[in-house]
Amino acid sequence: MEPVNLDESFASFDETWAPRIAAELNDYAVKVAKLDGEFVWHAHDETDELFLVRDGRLRIEFRDRDDADLGPGDLLVVPRGVEHRPVALEPTEVLLVEPTETLNTGDAAESDLTHDPERLS
């Protein structure tokens, strides 16, 4: 049981769209990620996904409903199976809460944006 400092966590990497595991609870991970620009359309068939914006502006686009615009302090839960695409309107820092082994690209074809979650030291 060690405290996690979010400032230090975000300062420890520069890569965008590559979540890092900052903490774990039960079978879930609290992941930190830096985002910039558009991501891929995808869904997570087996789990919901929580986005919490720490800094910046994030739009979550949906094919079948209105988009959601998030700013610092805003959070959104994307239900399992809902196709979505995160778009960082500026460099953005987010916390994600989802099962530890969840791939960031969900059901999308593997690409250079696909990353297994890496643990912060």
Side-chain angles (χ1 to χ4, degrees):
M1 290 187 336
E2 293 293 325
V4 174
N5 182 286
L6 291 178
D7 290 334
E8 291 173 5
S9 295
F10 280 104
S12 71
F13 66 97
D14 293 318
E15 190 176 9
T16 59
W17 302 110
R20 306 304 203 269
I21 297 172
E24 294 181 81
L25 61 153
N26 300 317
D27 296 329
Y28 280 76
V30 177
K31 300 175 184 177
V32 295
K34 293 180 178 181
L35 315 179
D36 195 13
E38 296 180 352
F39 199 56
V40 296
W41 283 101
H42 68 284
H44 301 281
D45 293 331
E46 302 298 322
T47 186
D48 300 339
E49 182 177 28
L50 182 144
F51 291 84
L52 171 63
V53 175
R54 180 172 184 258
D55 187 49
R57 307 273 324 148
L58 181 66
R59 173 176 294 132
I60 306 291
E61 296 179 343
F62 300 100
R63 293 204 194 269
D64 63 349
R65 61 191 78 189
D66 291 340
D67 297 342
D69 288 317
L70 308 173
D74 292 336
L75 71 81
L76 177 74
V77 175
V78 177
R80 72 186 69 198
V82 173
E83 192 174 22
H84 61 286
R85 178 174 72 163
V87 178
L89 304 172
E90 59 189 33
T92 300
E93 296 178 347
V94 299
L95 292 167
L96 304 165
V97 179
E98 58 194 3
T100 302
E101 299 306 318
T102 300
L103 283 180
N104 60 336
T105 51
D107 65 353
E110 191 167 320
S111 73
D112 59 341
L113 292 174
T114 303
H115 291 277
D116 284 321
E118 180 180 314
R119 284 173 177 74
L120 294 173
S121 44

